[in-house]
């Protein structure tokens, strides 16, 4: 398969690009909800529109009423989301959660609502400042024919808006081990469940969740008891690849805005884009973005093919896209000069979003370390 | 698709049967390259057998048309051939400026007679070519070149000097940029082909910091060049020259792929990294960039073959690939420590690590410097203003 978009995929990209630029623009969504102090940080109306466009069903198998497409297609939508900084539940609900519950009993209960854009899902894994899925300490003990959950989660994106939360808890082993983890799909109405939402630097919302003797049925289990690591890795790798695509979009959006500015802004009697010091930095950035885009597409294709090298490529993509987007937003703000530091200008919003995306599900260091380990050193 | 799968299995079987075991071992250094030429030097019999077997099928240039000695393969088939060669670690059967640079330019700008005359002998590795572009006063500003070709009715008379001409002392023929008019800088350049054995051609090797002398000063003193060896139109050689440079840059960008090995650098250096946490971090970051670049390279080739690549994209590839290769060798040297400094010892295979490290520094100079590539990307891809 060639490493570029097929005709069908290019068509989806054109559709998604047009849709997101119109409906998902910074003005219409990010600023709109931010300036109103919205408790969700995104608009449910747009989420419904995502459903009408078919985006929410991209990764849902046809048998479950979805489109049965792959990570390449999900990434196409995410790149446009990144370009417009569109706040939406797409990444967590329609990519990570959907991938996580594939083939489980929970899918019958929750997928229809995601397909229709009526519900929002969250994924609760980390408990500390940095991404360490194997460090999960939250406990799940058998109770009746189900389980009783106790513990706390942090940095749960949209956790306060979610109707269902996919939670990683320990049914065996101890923190630091990959064995003994189990995933549960928990209804937000469950008694003993609490969510405290906080606004992050990029105006998105994340929650700290608490579980106090939360009782769930056996059919809330996603995957096998004690064998949650495999499902967790699968859903995380889908999510990480999705973030890489979103970051390629963030980087491209920031670069386009910056290159336009280099052509417009005049100093010393000429456009600042004539200065070679800036030209070369812009060209280097372009090169990095193209490479990040290729790595991300490769990871998506390998995931879609079920290739054994996918895991390595996912980490390469997340690390590369992360570093590249950070370069793009830093260069973006610097090359805008004073105006780049103002809230009124959009370039600073790219910087904030990039920081949040880097932190989610493993930053560039985490993934470079994973590349080293998977390569046997 | 079914046809492609059939092609893959035939190719696999043919390679298994025809690629000698010695040609499946990684190349140790530049002396393992097979360059062909009028007076070829083969390291062993296997090298010659491998080149001839591949040439016989047109697979030294798999995607060139059959009538010019190529394999006539489609982009998809070419990709499969490369994948199958990589699978068994098969070496490139023939390295050649004829294949990577002149051939593509002739296919686009040569006339029918020139194609039939020059392309098949390139494909078979019979003639070794060198590149006469740079001059002492014309490096990055290549179009400032002064070597002149005077119209003498039935031939051109060439006078002047080239420099940094790689393998000029070993090459049979040269593709050479000459000035045929002083009226216009870019519009006074022509593209000539001639035999290095012609009267009036002389070369003088230059020693590199790596200790070897792969390139030369090249002098032309009243060299007669028949008129039918002009490629493209008179005074329109700059178009040919630029097109060829695109292909040269594409080839040099492959440096970023470390000979096609898919092994991560850290895997190769594993034992040396165990108690060097800072270095291990640097290597891991390098591997992220290198594996990502490999994907970029695959994407670039796919887009190129499908006619979807931006014409200036080879500049971006050349820039990224060569900077990556330099970084790789800095890391190899750091991992090797004092051992990697040895220059002549047998243990160090004659200073292999240090000499290769030094050689890579030329990657971001030859074929147009990194600064020049960045300038091209800025202007032609990002459309930034200025001269
Ligand atoms: C190993 C090797 C093999 C080579 N093989 C060949 C060959 O086979 N045939 C051939 O014709 N040539 C060959 N070359 C020559 C090569 O193409 C030139 O060296 C190259 O184009 C640079 O020219 P220069 O050396 O004159 O450097 P200069 O052009 O003098 O450059 C000096 C420095 O100034 C910078 N610079 C120049 N102009 C600008 C600008 N506009 N903006 C910013 N920075 C600028 C350059 O980037 C560089 O850092 C080879 C070179 C090497 C090192």
């Amino acid at each position: 398969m060639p490493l570029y978009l097929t005709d069908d995929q290019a068509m989806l990209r054109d559709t998604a690009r047009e849709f997101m630029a119109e409906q998902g623009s910074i003005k219409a969504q990010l600023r709109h909800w931010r300036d109103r102090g919205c408790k969700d940080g995104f608009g449910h109306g747009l989420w419904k529109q995502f459903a009408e466009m078919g985006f929410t069903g991209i990764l849902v198998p046809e048998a479950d009423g979805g489109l049965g497409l792959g990570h390449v297609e999900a990434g196409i939508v995410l790149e446009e989301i990144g370009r417009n900084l569109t706040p939406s539940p797409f990444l967590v609900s329609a990519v990570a959660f959907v991938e996580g519950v594939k083939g489980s009993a929970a899918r019958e209960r929750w997928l229809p609502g995601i397909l229709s854009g009526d519900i929002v899902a969250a994924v609760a894994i980390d408990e500390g400042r940095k991404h360490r899925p194997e460090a999960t300490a939250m406990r799940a003990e058998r109770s009746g024919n189900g389980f009783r959950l106790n513990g706390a989660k942090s940095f749960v994106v949209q956790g306060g808006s979610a109707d269902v939360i996919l939670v990683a808890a320990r049914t065996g082993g101890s923190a630091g081990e990959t064995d003994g983890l189990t995933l549960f799909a928990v209804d937000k109405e469950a008694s003993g469940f609490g969510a405290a939402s906080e606004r992050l630097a990029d105006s998105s919302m994340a929650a700290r969740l608490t579980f106090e003797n939360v009782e769930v049925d056996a059919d809330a289990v996603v995957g096998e008891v004690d064998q949650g690591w495999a499902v967790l890795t699968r859903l995380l790798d889908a999510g990480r690849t999705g973030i890489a695509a979103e970051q390629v979009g963030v980087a491209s959006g920031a670069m386009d805005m910056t290159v336009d500015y280099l052509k417009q802004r005049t100093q010393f009697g000429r456009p600042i884009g004539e200065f070679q010091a800036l030209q070369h930095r812009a060209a280097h950035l372009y090169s990095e973005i193209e490479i990040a885009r290729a790595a991300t597409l490769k990871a998506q294709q390998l995931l879609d093919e079920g290739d054994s090298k996918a895991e390595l490529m996912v980490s390469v993509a997340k690390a590369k896209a992360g570093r590249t987007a950070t370069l793009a937003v830093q260069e973006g703000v610097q090359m805008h000069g004073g105006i780049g530091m103002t809230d009124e200008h959009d370039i600073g919003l790219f910087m904030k979003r990039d920081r949040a995306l880097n932190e989610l599900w493993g930053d560039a260091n985490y993934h470079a370390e994973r590349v080293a380990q998977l390569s046997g050193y | 698709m079914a046809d492609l799968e059939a092609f893959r299995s035939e190719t696999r079987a043919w390679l298994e049967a025809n690629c000698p075991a010695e040609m499946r071992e990684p190349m140790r250094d530049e002396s393992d390259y097979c360059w062909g030429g009028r007076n070829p030097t083969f390291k062993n019999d296997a090298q010659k057998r491998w080149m001839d077997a591949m040439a016989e099928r047109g697979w030294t240039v798999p995607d060139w048309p059959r009538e010019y000695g190529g394999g006539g393969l489609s982009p998809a088939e070419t990709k499969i051939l490369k994948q199958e060669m990589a699978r068994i670690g098969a070496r490139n059967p023939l390295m050649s400026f004829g294949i990577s640079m002149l051939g593509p330019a002739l296919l686009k700008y040569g006339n029918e007679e020139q194609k039939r005359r020059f392309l098949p002998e390139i494909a078979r590795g019979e003639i070794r070519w060198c590149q006469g572009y740079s001059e002492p006063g014309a490096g990055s500003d290549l179009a400032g070149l002064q070597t002149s070709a005077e119209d003498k009715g039935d031939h051109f008379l060439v006078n002047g000097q080239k420099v940094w001409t790689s393998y000029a002392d070993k090459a049979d023929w040269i593709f050479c940029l000459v000035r045929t008019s002083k009226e216009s800088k870019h519009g006074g350049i022509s593209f000539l082909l001639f035999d290095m054995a012609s009267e009036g051609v002389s070369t003088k090797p230059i020693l590199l910091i790596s200790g070897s002398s792969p390139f030369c000063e090249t002098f032309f003193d009243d060299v007669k060049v028949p008129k039918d060896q002009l490629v493209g139109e008179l005074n329109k050689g700059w178009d040919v020259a630029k097109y060829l440079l695109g292909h040269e840059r594409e080839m040099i960008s492959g440096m970023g792929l470390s000979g096609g090995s898919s092994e991560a650098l850290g895997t190769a250096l594993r034992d040396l990294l165990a108690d060097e946490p800072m270095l291990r971090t640097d290597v891991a970051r390098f591997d992220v960039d290198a594996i990502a670049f490999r994907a970029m390279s695959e994407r670039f080739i796919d887009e190129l073959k499908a006619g979807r690549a931006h014409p200036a994209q080879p500049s971006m590839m050349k820039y990224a690939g060569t900077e990556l290769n330099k970084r790789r060798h800095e890391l190899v040297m750091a991992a090797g420590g004092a051992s990697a400094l040895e220059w002549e010892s047998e243990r160090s295979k004659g200073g292999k690590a240090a000499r290769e490290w030094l050689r890579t520094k030329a990657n971001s100079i030859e074929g147009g410097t990194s600064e020049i590539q960045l300038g091209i990307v800025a202007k032609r891809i990002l459309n930034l203003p200025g001269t």
Side-chain angles (χ1 to χ4, degrees):
Chain A
M1 184 184 307
L3 199 53
Y4 51 73
L5 300 184
T6 63
D7 290 345
D8 284 348
Q9 290 164 348
M11 238 158 72
L12 174 63
R13 183 200 52 206
D14 294 345
T15 309
R17 184 161 294 178
E18 194 181 329
F19 172 83
M20 220 62 75
E22 278 172 18
Q23 308 298 325
S25 72
I26 292 177
K27 184 159 178 285
Q29 299 294 332
L30 177 59
R31 283 189 186 274
H32 180 86
W33 299 115
R34 180 192 80 160
D35 296 347
R36 276 160 191 73
C38 167
K39 67 172 181 32
D40 290 316
F42 65 86
H44 288 276
L46 184 72
W47 186 224
K48 279 293 254 186
Q49 278 179 290
F50 272 35
E52 284 154 21
M53 296 294 291
F55 297 162
T56 52
I58 285 178
L59 283 178
V60 176
E62 280 176 293
D64 294 322
L67 297 176
L69 296 170
H71 297 278
V72 175
E73 286 81 4
I76 286 170
V77 173
L78 278 159
E79 185 172 333
E80 299 312 316
I81 285 177
R83 209 184 283 277
N84 294 283
L85 308 180
T86 314
S88 90
F90 185 80
L91 173 71
V92 178
S93 297
V95 177
F97 181 85
V98 165
E99 189 66 33
V101 300
K102 253 181 202 170
S104 74
R107 82 183 196 288
E108 285 179 24
R109 167 136 186 235
W110 300 109
L111 287 186
I114 288 182
L115 280 171
S116 64
D118 288 312
I119 71 156
V120 169
V123 174
I125 300 162
D126 286 310
E127 298 172 7
R129 282 169 8 257
K130 300 297 280 188
H131 178 58
R132 296 284 178 272
E134 72 285 353
T136 297
M138 175 163 160
R139 310 288 318 181
E141 282 151 356
R142 284 197 190 268
S143 154
N145 72 11
F147 291 82
R148 181 185 304 128
L149 310 183
N150 274 295
K153 294 285 173 183
S154 60
F155 195 25
V156 181
V157 172
Q158 290 150 357
S161 314
D163 301 281
V164 54
I165 298 101
L166 190 56
V167 189
R170 220 161 249 299
T171 38
S174 50
E177 292 173 7
T178 53
D179 276 349
L181 290 173
T182 306
L183 292 176
F184 299 92
V186 180
D187 192 319
K188 72 155 189 243
E189 304 297 347
S191 105
F193 169 76
S197 277
E198 279 166 73
R199 193 172 305 282
L200 304 183
D202 66 337
S203 308
S204 69
M205 301 298 288
R208 292 174 187 274
L209 305 183
T210 46
F211 297 82
E212 256 177 80
N213 293 321
V214 173
E215 302 277 349
V216 296
D217 290 346
D219 65 6
V221 171
V222 171
E224 304 286 319
V225 174
D226 283 344
Q227 309 295 312
W229 186 252
V231 189
L232 195 55
T233 303
R234 198 183 71 208
L235 88 86
L236 279 173
D237 277 348
R240 290 156 173 164
T241 307
I243 299 174
E246 185 168 344
Q247 288 199 285
V248 167
V250 168
S252 302
M255 185 185 80
D256 289 352
M257 190 172 281
T258 305
V259 168
D260 280 348
Y261 192 68
L262 295 184
K263 292 172 187 170
Q264 283 164 25
R265 171 72 176 162
T266 308
Q267 284 292 279
F268 299 96
R270 43 188 171 146
I272 56 173
E274 273 189 32
F275 299 122
Q276 202 184 50
L278 301 186
Q279 288 191 342
H280 285 192
R281 278 159 59 185
H284 171 72
L285 175 58
Y286 164 81
S287 166
E288 291 293 283
I289 294 176
E290 288 302 293
I291 296 169
R293 180 177 282 115
T296 302
L297 183 56
K298 186 75 188 174
Q300 292 161 347
Q301 285 191 354
L302 292 176
L303 279 179
D304 286 339
E305 287 161 15
D307 193 296
S308 62
K309 290 190 292 292
E311 224 174 304
L312 176 74
M313 209 58 214
V314 167
S315 279
V316 167
K318 177 75 168 70
K320 183 74 192 178
R323 282 204 187 282
T324 301
T326 300
L327 178 71
V329 299
Q330 288 178 351
E331 291 289 58
V333 169
Q334 177 65 19
M335 292 191 203
H336 275 81
I339 195 101
M341 288 302 296
T342 63
D343 182 71
E344 194 187 341
H345 199 285
D346 287 341
I347 192 73
L349 300 173
F350 283 85
M351 181 169 271
K352 296 176 186 180
R353 184 67 187 141
D354 166 60
R355 186 85 279 284
L357 288 172
N358 260 300
E359 238 17 83
L360 189 57
W361 299 332
D363 64 10
N365 288 334
Y366 178 93
H367 286 288
E369 173 65 38
R370 190 165 177 239
V371 166
Q373 286 182 14
L374 289 168
S375 304
Y377 69 97
Chain B
M1 282 319 243
D3 285 354
L4 286 181
E5 280 321 300
F7 177 77
R8 186 184 293 280
S9 52
E10 283 163 27
T11 301
R12 185 172 292 188
W14 187 86
L15 287 171
E16 278 301 348
N18 289 279
C19 183
E22 299 94 315
M23 293 297 108
R24 302 181 193 196
E25 285 162 20
M27 300 213 214
R28 274 155 313 208
D29 52 57
E30 288 197 20
S31 76
D32 277 340
Y33 292 166
C34 172
W35 288 98
R38 256 180 216 149
N39 309 299
T41 47
F42 293 105
K43 251 202 156 167
N44 49 38
D45 179 56
Q47 204 179 39
K48 176 162 170 41
R49 269 189 289 129
W50 178 225
M51 182 185 85
D52 288 342
M54 286 291 275
E56 176 75 32
R57 287 180 87 85
W59 283 4
T60 50
V61 283
D63 54 356
W64 289 10
R66 287 193 144 278
E67 62 265 39
Y68 307 132
L73 301 189
S74 69
E77 288 168 336
T78 306
K79 188 168 181 175
I80 289 174
L81 172 59
K82 302 257 152 127
Q83 285 168 345
E84 290 303 316
M85 286 174 67
R87 197 183 68 85
I88 60 168
R91 290 183 187 178
N92 182 352
L94 178 60
M95 292 282 295
S96 133
F97 292 178
I99 292 176
S100 52
M101 299 193 228
L102 179 61
L106 278 181
L107 282 166
K108 186 167 165 83
Y109 291 97
N111 60 36
E112 189 56 30
E113 193 224 311
Q114 288 168 337
K115 290 183 199 173
R116 290 193 184 276
R117 175 171 170 198
F118 296 112
L119 293 174
E121 58 188 26
I122 290 174
R124 291 192 302 266
E126 290 166 359
I127 292 291
R128 183 168 177 182
W129 288 84
C130 65
Q131 176 186 33
Y133 274 35
S134 306
E135 298 181 4
S140 296
D141 187 11
L142 179 60
L145 59 96
Q146 298 300 332
T147 293
S148 69
E150 225 181 305
D151 190 335
K152 292 284 179 188
D154 66 334
H155 67 269
F156 294 106
L157 198 62
V158 177
N159 278 289
Q161 185 198 336
K162 296 287 170 183
V163 72
W164 322 128
T165 328
S166 294
Y167 308 110
D169 52 342
K170 305 208 171 61
D172 307 309
W173 277 63
I174 186 167
F175 48 93
C176 192
L177 295 181
V178 294
R179 182 151 299 285
T180 38
S181 163
K182 294 205 162 94
E183 305 274 288
S184 144
K185 185 174 176 183
H186 295 87
I189 293 171
S190 297
F191 193 102
L192 288 185
L193 311 176
F194 52 92
D195 196 322
M196 289 293 279
S198 311
E199 205 171 316
V201 178
S202 58
T203 60
K204 199 170 134 210
I206 308 169
L207 192 64
L208 276 180
I209 51 176
S210 62
S212 66
S213 298
F215 58 11
C216 300
E217 290 179 280
T218 307
F219 303 92
F220 309 123
D221 183 12
D222 281 343
V223 181
K224 282 187 185 169
V225 178
K227 283 246 168 115
D228 61 0
Q229 288 163 212
L230 169 75
V231 178
E233 286 177 51
L234 191 72
N235 292 328
K236 294 248 173 86
W238 186 244
D239 292 339
V240 187
K242 275 194 304 185
Y243 181 77
L244 184 144
L245 276 174
H247 285 273
E248 176 177 12
R249 288 166 184 164
E250 185 188 323
M251 168 198 66
I252 299 176
S253 79
M255 298 281 175
L257 302 174
S258 64
S261 158
S262 63
E263 192 181 58
L265 178 61
T267 313
L269 299 179
R270 181 174 24 209
D271 298 342
L272 304 176
L273 298 178
D275 49 4
E276 288 284 337
M278 301 283 275
L279 184 58
R280 177 178 175 276
T281 302
D282 282 353
V283 171
R285 291 200 174 129
F286 169 84
D287 274 328
V288 166
D289 289 336
I291 299 169
F293 180 77
R294 201 184 305 141
M296 180 66 225
S297 191
E298 182 183 343
R299 175 183 155 206
F300 170 62
I301 304 279
D302 288 347
E303 290 187 335
L304 200 69
K305 302 286 180 208
R308 294 167 171 232
H310 189 289
Q313 196 74 340
S315 288
M316 173 251 147
M317 292 300 295
K318 199 242 167 203
Y319 163 69
T322 57
E323 295 297 334
L324 199 61
N325 200 35
K326 290 197 296 184
R327 222 170 115 201
R328 163 186 296 273
H329 285 270
E330 285 296 332
L331 293 167
V332 169
M333 287 302 284
S339 306
L341 290 172
E342 290 185 19
W343 191 248
E344 278 157 353
S345 65
E346 202 161 310
R347 198 165 59 149
S348 69
K349 301 197 183 96
K352 179 176 179 314
R355 288 169 196 271
E356 283 183 0
W357 159 66
L358 288 164
R359 176 64 184 85
T360 61
K361 300 305 176 196
N363 296 162
S364 51
I365 299 171
E366 58 201 329
T369 66
S370 282
E371 290 76 19
I372 294 302
Q373 306 315 318
L374 288 171
I376 292 173
V377 170
K379 272 156 221 147
R380 296 193 45 208
I381 300 183
L382 302 179
N383 295 314
L384 287 171
T387 46

